[in-house]
């Protein structure tokens, strides 16, 4: 089985998914995989081998039936699975992480999606064949109808003939007319049945399309957007859009084919009206298929690269929007222009309620128009705003304790797409993730808190931009750990002991039992409005200061495990009490934002060092300078831990000279 997987990985690297001519290579890869499965099955012996043989044969058959007509989809699926596997492995924190089960589930889900597309392809081909048959039968019916008119004309002309001639020819013509009219009556019923049968098949196709579209747009695309939002908090990358685009393009192609079929069926009905329910059925089908393609186009106008969520005025920023079905619907034949506008939370709410907000904005963005371009090599239609800048912002009246750094805005991207040679025109809009506008760097800390809380706790489909006012402590711990690891760029996150320390700080508690905090909730006010007891800063401001200090000056020491960090003064004294003199540990300062202090047996605590201190002399060098510091807790000689970070004497001399 490992050999089979290696074949698939090795073979797909040479296949260009955007080149239809590569289908032959993909087909060869599929055949190789099937052959390997069959070979493996043939060599199974014994009772266990018999069961495996049946399974392998079943897998080979499933691969063939699912991908034989679309082998490039197999390559696309394998590539996506490999990418997701890498992402999940990165996320895994221990060997018990259920990565394997998630991969199996994901593979099965993608196989189901591809099987549904194959069913849709077969249904669409079936309705195409039925439509051609209907057209052929209708054309023959019209010919026979013309024949009946010709016979009727001949019968009418008999009135001008002498009675003898009329009696001679009339019986034959009457007989012909009766035969043709009987055939026409029977065939009209048959045509009507064909039309109704075709309409029922289209109804079935549209139902399956709706189901498939719901899975892709309401499940897969929404999950991608959620991953994109969590990536703003330091979560893993949201992943590429290639497989989503391929699914959306397949949907667009299938929906459009069915729409054209329904229009052709309508044209045939107009060409030959037959009384019955078919007119209403076709109107319903046409309305439904238009609704489906409208939902697809409007939902696949997305923001591929979000603007920064903490947005400073007079500062250049970028964003990219993309239409996932642009290439397949030939939207680029008449390149659309996209406009970006900044709007407030209230304006966003009104927009989603379809209230009139035309020309409403909450500020002025420079360079806010961009034409969508089609990139042939990638098959993507996108607009890349490279040089936008927020010139000014208009704020709303704030409520109560709310500050400017709690006010949320969003960038509205809007455009108009023409599909099918202006046959359909769509007005499309999409909103960015919430942004907080600042005018000075000193506001960045509090603005980041607003963004962190929103990204972590926003629910899909919410009213802009509602978030819960309080959350369970374990939920907040997850968000803090994600942010900490991303900011510090470290695989060493916050341990359970670290999180207990943070809980003690947040709730002014002395309990060291993690279970005591599992059902406790923390409010937004506790997080970043109310100062910690006896301090002039909030919980978040203290935590953010720790992240900044560690990111800029302490990252190698944190990664080495040299910094315990999240330890209070009393805990540090208790830990050092039983150790020899000269033993020390490093803990983050309780009294100062972004400070670290040395807790030392005998002296207990030195004044905290901050970013300003470390810009002059590093932590390792400062520890080296203090001769009374001998052992890093619990018993590691300090030079063993820090010597590799000491500044060489020559460098110190040159620094002194050039200062």
């Amino acid at each position: 089985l490992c050999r089979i997987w290696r074949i698939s990985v090795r073979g797909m690297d040479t296949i260009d998914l955007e080149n239809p001519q590569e289908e032959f290579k993909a087909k060869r890869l599929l055949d190789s995989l099937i052959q390997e499965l069959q070979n493996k099955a043939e060599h199974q012996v014994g009772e266990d081998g018999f069961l495996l043989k049946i399974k392998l044969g079943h897998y080979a058959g499933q691969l063939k039936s699912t991908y034989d007509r679309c082998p490039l989809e197999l390559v696309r699926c394998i590539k996506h699975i490999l990418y997701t596997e890498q992402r999940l492995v990165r996320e895994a924190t221990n060997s018990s992480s259920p990565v394997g089960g998630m991969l199996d589930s994901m593979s099965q889900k993608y196989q189901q999606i591809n099987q549904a597309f194959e069913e849709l392809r077969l249904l669409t081909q079936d309705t195409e064949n039925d439509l051609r048959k209907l057209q052929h039968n209708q054309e023959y019916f019209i010919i026979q109808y013309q024949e009946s008119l010709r016979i009727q004309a001949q019968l009418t002309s008999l009135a001008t003939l002498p009675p003898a001639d009329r009696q001679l020819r009339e019986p034959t013509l009457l007989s012909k007319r009766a035969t043709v009219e009987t055939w026409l009556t029977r065939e009209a019923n048959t045509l009507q049945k064909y039309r109704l049968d075709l309409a029922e098949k289209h109804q079935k196709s549209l139902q399956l399309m709706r189901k498939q579209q719901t899975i892709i747009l309401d499940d897969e695309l929404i999950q991608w957007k959620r991953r994109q939002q969590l990536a703003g908090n330091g979560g893993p990358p949201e992943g590429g859009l290639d497989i989503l685009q391929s699914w959306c393009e397949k949907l667009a192609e299938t929906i459009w084919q069915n729409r054209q079929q329904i229009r052709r069926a309508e044209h045939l009905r107009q060409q030959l009206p037959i009384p019955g329910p078919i007119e209403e059925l076709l109107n319903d089908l046409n309305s439904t298929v238009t609704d489906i393609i409208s939902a697809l186009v409007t939902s696949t106008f997305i923001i591929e690269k979000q603007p920064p969520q903490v947005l400073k005025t007079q500062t250049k920023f970028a964003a990219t929007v993309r239409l996932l079905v642009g290439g397949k619907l030939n939207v680029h034949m008449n390149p659309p222009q996209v406009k970006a506008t900044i709007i407030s939370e209230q304006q966003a709410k009104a927009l989603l309620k379809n209230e009139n907000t035309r020309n409403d904005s909450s500020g002025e963005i420079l360079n806010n128009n961009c034409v969508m371009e089609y990139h042939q090599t990638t098959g993507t239609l996108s607009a890349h705003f490279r040089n936008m800048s927020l010139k000014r912002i208009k704020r709303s009246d704030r409520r109560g304790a709310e500050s400017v750094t709690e006010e949320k805005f969003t960038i509205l991207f809007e455009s108009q797409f023409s599909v099918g040679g202006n046959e359909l025109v769509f007005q499309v809009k999409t909103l960015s993730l919430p942004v907080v506008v600042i005018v000075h760097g000193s506001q960045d800390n509090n603005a980041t808190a607003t963004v962190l809380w929103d990204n972590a706790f926003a629910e899909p489909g919410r009213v802009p931009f509602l978030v819960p006012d309080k959350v369970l402590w374990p939920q907040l711990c997850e968000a803090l750990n994600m942010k900490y690891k991303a900011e510090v760029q470290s695989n060493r996150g916050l341990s359970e002991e670290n999180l207990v320390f943070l809980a003690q700080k947040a709730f002014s508690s002395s309990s060291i039992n993690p279970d005591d905090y599992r059902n406790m909730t923390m409010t937004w006010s506790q997080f970043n409005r109310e100062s910690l007891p006896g301090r002039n800063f909030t919980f978040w401001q203290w935590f953010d200061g720790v992240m900044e200090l560690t990111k800029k000056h302490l990252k190698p020491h944190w990664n080495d495990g040299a910094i315990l960090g999240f330890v209070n003064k009393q805990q540090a004294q208790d830990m050092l009490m039983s150790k020899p003199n000269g033993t020390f540990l490093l803990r983050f300062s309780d009294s100062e934002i972004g400070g670290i202090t040395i807790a030392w047996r005998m002296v207990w605590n030195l004044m905290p060092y901050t970013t300003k201190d470390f810009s002059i002399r590093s932590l390792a060098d400062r520890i080296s300078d203090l001769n009374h510091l001998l052992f890093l807790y619990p018993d590691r000689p300090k030079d063993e831990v820090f010597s590799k970070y000491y500044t060489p004497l020559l460098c110190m001399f040159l620094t002194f000279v050039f200062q």
Side-chain angles (χ1 to χ4, degrees):
L1 290 176
C2 289
R3 169 176 160 76
I4 293 168
W5 188 247
R6 283 197 300 273
I7 286 174
S8 66
V9 173
R10 191 168 57 242
M12 75 176 184
D13 287 338
T14 63
I15 297 174
D16 179 8
L17 290 172
E18 308 304 328
N19 185 358
Q21 296 178 352
E22 296 278 74
E23 190 163 307
F24 176 72
K25 285 185 184 178
K27 182 69 166 64
R28 225 168 31 183
L29 171 63
L30 173 63
D31 292 341
S32 298
L33 282 169
I34 292 171
Q35 188 61 52
E36 283 292 329
L37 283 168
Q38 290 172 340
N39 291 344
K40 189 74 177 174
E42 288 174 6
H43 290 86
Q44 301 305 310
V45 294
E47 186 176 341
D48 293 338
F50 177 73
L51 294 174
L52 184 56
K53 182 175 184 177
I54 292 174
K55 283 186 178 180
L56 290 172
H58 174 68
Y59 294 151
Q62 273 200 322
L63 273 175
K64 185 169 179 61
S65 65
T66 304
Y67 297 109
D68 198 43
R69 294 185 181 86
C70 50
L72 282 172
E73 280 309 304
L74 173 66
V75 178
R76 199 184 301 274
C77 186
I78 290 175
K79 282 189 173 184
H80 188 76
I81 289 171
L82 285 173
Y83 167 80
T84 309
E85 180 185 45
Q86 291 167 353
R87 178 170 62 82
L88 291 172
V89 168
R90 284 197 303 269
E91 291 176 20
T93 54
N94 54 57
S95 58
S96 63
S97 180
V99 171
M102 292 173 70
L103 283 172
D104 289 343
S105 174
M106 181 187 63
S107 177
Q108 185 179 9
K109 179 172 59 177
Y110 290 162
Q111 188 175 18
Q112 288 170 350
I113 290 173
N114 286 326
Q115 284 174 341
F117 273 126
E118 177 62 12
E119 186 179 350
L120 274 171
R121 189 191 69 80
L122 293 174
L123 280 171
T124 303
Q125 185 61 55
D126 189 30
T127 48
E128 177 66 29
N129 293 337
D130 285 357
L131 188 57
R132 288 175 182 170
K133 181 180 176 182
L134 173 61
Q135 183 175 353
H136 173 77
N137 288 357
Q138 182 165 312
E139 287 170 352
Y140 187 68
F141 180 92
I142 291 171
I143 291 171
Q144 294 302 311
Y145 180 71
Q146 294 298 325
E147 175 66 14
S148 74
L149 293 179
R150 190 180 65 78
I151 293 171
Q152 184 59 45
Q154 287 177 338
L155 282 168
T156 303
S157 68
L158 288 180
T160 62
L161 297 179
D165 290 343
R166 188 167 66 246
Q167 287 175 2
L168 182 66
R169 298 177 60 186
E170 191 173 45
T172 302
L173 288 172
L174 287 171
S175 176
K176 275 187 178 182
R177 186 178 70 175
T179 301
V180 171
E181 286 181 348
T182 301
W183 184 90
L184 287 173
T185 302
R186 185 180 70 249
E187 196 61 21
N189 291 330
T190 301
L191 284 175
Q192 187 74 309
K193 184 177 184 306
Y194 283 169
R195 289 176 177 180
L196 290 170
D197 288 347
L198 180 60
E200 286 180 6
K201 286 185 178 180
H202 275 130
Q203 283 178 328
K204 182 180 178 182
S205 294
L206 295 184
Q207 286 172 358
L208 184 55
M209 277 179 229
R210 274 197 189 280
K211 182 180 177 182
Q212 184 81 325
Q213 187 157 298
T214 297
I215 291 170
I216 292 168
L217 299 183
D218 294 354
D219 295 345
E220 298 301 315
L221 185 56
I222 292 296
Q223 287 179 26
W224 181 88
K225 288 181 178 181
R226 181 60 184 146
R227 291 197 299 272
Q228 185 186 54
Q229 189 170 24
L230 287 175
N233 274 5
E238 61 268 31
L241 285 164
D242 290 347
I243 195 163
L244 271 171
Q245 174 162 317
S246 74
W247 288 339
C248 292
E249 286 181 337
K250 276 192 169 188
L251 268 175
E253 191 173 30
T254 306
I255 295 166
W256 194 256
Q257 286 173 349
N258 278 266
R259 185 175 188 273
Q260 296 304 99
Q261 287 180 5
I262 291 166
R263 289 171 66 84
R264 282 160 56 198
E266 172 62 21
H267 177 71
L268 290 175
R269 188 202 66 78
Q270 291 173 350
Q271 194 179 43
L272 181 64
I274 301 173
I278 192 64
E279 181 177 0
E280 187 177 348
L281 276 173
L282 287 172
N283 286 339
D284 288 345
L285 287 172
N286 191 52
S287 176
T288 300
V289 77
T290 302
D291 286 346
I292 293 174
I293 200 165
S294 176
L296 180 65
V297 172
T298 53
S299 297
T300 54
F301 180 57
I302 63 167
I303 302 171
E304 182 176 6
K305 179 188 175 185
Q306 291 281 342
Q309 287 187 265
V310 176
L311 190 57
K312 189 179 178 184
T313 55
Q314 311 295 333
T315 303
K316 189 172 78 170
F317 68 96
T320 303
V321 294
R322 179 167 163 183
L323 180 64
L324 298 180
V325 295
K328 196 57 76 173
L329 294 178
N330 293 322
V331 172
H332 59 284
M333 302 303 288
N334 182 21
Q337 189 173 79
V338 184
K339 180 182 178 182
T341 312
I342 188 163
I343 63 175
S344 68
E345 184 173 339
Q346 291 301 321
Q347 289 165 337
K349 288 178 184 175
L351 184 73
L352 293 186
K353 290 179 183 176
N354 292 319
E355 296 176 3
N356 185 17
T357 57
R358 200 161 191 79
N359 300 322
D360 280 355
S361 72
S362 289
E364 182 183 352
I365 299 178
L366 303 179
N367 303 316
N368 67 327
N369 285 284
C370 187
V371 175
M372 297 196 88
E373 298 177 358
Y374 183 68
H375 307 276
Q376 191 74 41
T377 52
T378 59
T380 58
L381 182 71
S382 58
H384 184 23
F385 294 82
R386 292 177 174 83
N387 296 298
M388 288 192 288
S389 176
L390 183 59
K391 183 178 179 181
R392 61 178 181 82
I393 191 68
K394 182 172 66 177
R395 299 190 183 275
S396 59
D397 294 332
R398 288 178 296 282
R399 303 175 300 277
E402 189 179 86
S403 67
V404 294
T405 55
E406 293 180 33
E407 187 177 4
K408 299 174 194 173
F409 297 87
T410 179
I411 309 295
L412 165 66
F413 295 93
E414 49 190 337
S415 186
Q416 178 176 294
F417 300 144
S418 299
V419 175
N422 292 327
E423 191 178 314
L424 294 173
V425 178
F426 300 104
Q427 303 289 336
V428 296
K429 304 174 190 287
T430 189
L431 297 174
S432 76
L433 293 172
V435 299
V436 178
V437 177
I438 63 173
V439 296
H440 193 275
S442 61
Q443 297 172 312
D444 184 79
N445 173 289
N446 292 322
T448 301
T450 300
V451 168
L452 175 91
W453 191 278
D454 193 280
N455 286 346
F457 310 122
E459 295 182 359
R462 63 172 172 172
V463 174
F465 291 106
L466 290 181
V467 283
D469 184 59
K470 61 181 178 181
V471 296
L472 285 169
W473 174 250
Q475 290 178 286
L476 184 59
C477 287
E478 186 179 344
L480 292 175
N481 186 42
M482 182 184 291
K483 185 71 174 175
Y484 189 86
K485 287 166 64 175
E487 287 294 312
V488 179
Q489 296 179 333
S490 171
N491 289 326
R492 182 191 168 198
L494 302 174
S495 67
E496 188 169 85
E497 290 79 9
N498 298 156
L499 295 172
V500 166
F501 168 85
L502 291 174
Q504 290 173 328
K505 181 176 285 291
F507 300 114
S508 300
S509 169
S510 59
S511 172
I512 60 171
N513 185 356
D515 292 333
D516 289 344
Y517 302 105
R518 297 204 189 283
N519 294 318
M520 293 183 71
T521 58
M522 190 169 192
T523 66
W524 166 253
S525 290
Q526 288 173 300
F527 184 66
N528 198 44
R529 269 191 193 161
E530 302 166 0
S531 294
L532 291 169
R535 307 297 181 198
N536 62 352
F537 48 79
T538 66
F539 173 85
W540 164 256
Q541 288 166 346
W542 181 87
F543 183 81
D544 186 58
V546 164
M547 284 196 301
E548 280 295 302
L549 179 70
T550 308
K551 175 173 68 174
K552 290 179 179 177
H553 301 288
L554 309 178
K555 181 163 67 173
H557 308 304
W558 173 264
N559 288 338
D560 288 348
I563 297 174
L564 290 180
F566 299 97
V567 177
N568 64 40
K569 187 181 294 187
Q570 185 59 52
Q571 286 173 325
Q573 290 179 7
D574 293 343
M575 292 165 73
L576 293 170
M577 186 69 73
S578 61
K579 298 300 177 184
N581 290 344
T583 305
F584 67 98
L585 59 80
L586 299 165
R587 52 175 289 270
F588 296 124
S589 171
D590 282 315
S591 59
E592 188 162 352
I593 292 178
I596 191 168
T597 187
I598 300 174
W600 173 21
R601 176 83 167 87
M602 293 298 290
V603 175
W604 297 123
N605 290 278
L606 297 178
M607 286 289 291
Y609 298 117
T610 63
T611 289
K612 182 179 178 181
D613 300 309
F614 293 136
S615 64
I616 299 170
R617 192 151 170 73
S618 73
L619 174 66
D621 287 338
R622 289 178 182 278
I623 289 172
S624 176
D625 294 342
L626 297 169
N627 295 327
H628 295 293
L629 301 183
L630 303 176
F631 303 102
L632 178 68
Y633 182 88
D635 55 9
R636 298 168 68 189
K638 74 172 183 182
D639 288 343
E640 178 187 300
V641 179
F642 295 102
S643 61
K644 58 184 174 182
Y645 302 112
Y646 295 160
T647 303
L649 289 174
L650 177 60
C651 293
M652 291 170 59
F653 172 74
L654 291 174
T655 301
F656 174 77
V657 169
F658 286 106
Q659 279 181 343

